[in-house]
Amino acid sequence: MSHIDESYSFGRIAAPTQWHSVSNELISQQEPTQHPYDDIQEKQHLHTKIRDIRNCVYTPDATRDIWQSNPNGDCEDKCLHLIGLYTEHDLFNSLRLAICELSSGTQHAVLLMYTTEGTKVIDPTRSNLAVDWENYPISKWIMRHRIGFLWENFKEL
């Protein structure tokens, strides 16, 4: 297991326009922290929440893409909803929204979870578990949230 930061360098980029409509309480103002992620009950609780969100209806935005916490929304809405469930938990500062490209060429939002044992991907749209980032099936990583309104793009080392 490894951290995604060991395989990429990052360049600062402007926050996506949609980020400006996200509730401030869902936007971490601290650098990402590495959560121990070693408590079995905590893992089961997280996986239950991921599964519950995944089982909600997937509803794409009708017109322009708006990012808001909604378990019945599209991919970034589901991710933001999961972040919102952890605002009062120490796991909050280890979760970051990221955009990747799937093998179909479609952009997709997931959560990166920084842990002491490595970076995990949480995808409440397509999976019930937090998986090692190297095992998550994508074509490429595009960008991730870092802190506040700072976003970064992924650059191959």
Side-chain angles (χ1 to χ4, degrees), residues 8 23 25 29 31 44 46 49-50 70 115 138 149:
Y8 293 91
S23 169
E25 55 190 36
Q29 300 301 322
E31 287 289 331
Q44 289 173 337
L46 172 62
K49 288 182 179 190
I50 297 168
N70 182 354
T115 75
I138 63 159
F149 281 82

Side-chain angles (χ1 to χ4, degrees), residues 78-111:
K78 289 176 178 287
C79 288
L80 290 169
H81 181 74
L82 185 61
I83 288 174
L85 297 176
Y86 282 95
T87 56
E88 301 298 322
H89 190 278
D90 57 347
L91 190 61
F92 174 75
N93 281 313
S94 68
L95 296 172
R96 291 295 186 271
L97 190 64
I99 308 298
C100 59
E101 183 178 291
L102 301 175
S103 57
S104 65
T106 306
Q107 288 191 0
H108 184 61
V110 297
L111 291 174

Side-chain angles (χ1 to χ4, degrees), residues 124-141:
T125 303
R126 305 173 73 204
S127 175
N128 294 330
L129 303 171
V131 299
D132 295 332
W133 76 271
E134 299 102 332
N135 297 328
Y136 186 72
I138 63 159
S139 315
K140 68 180 179 179
W141 291 102

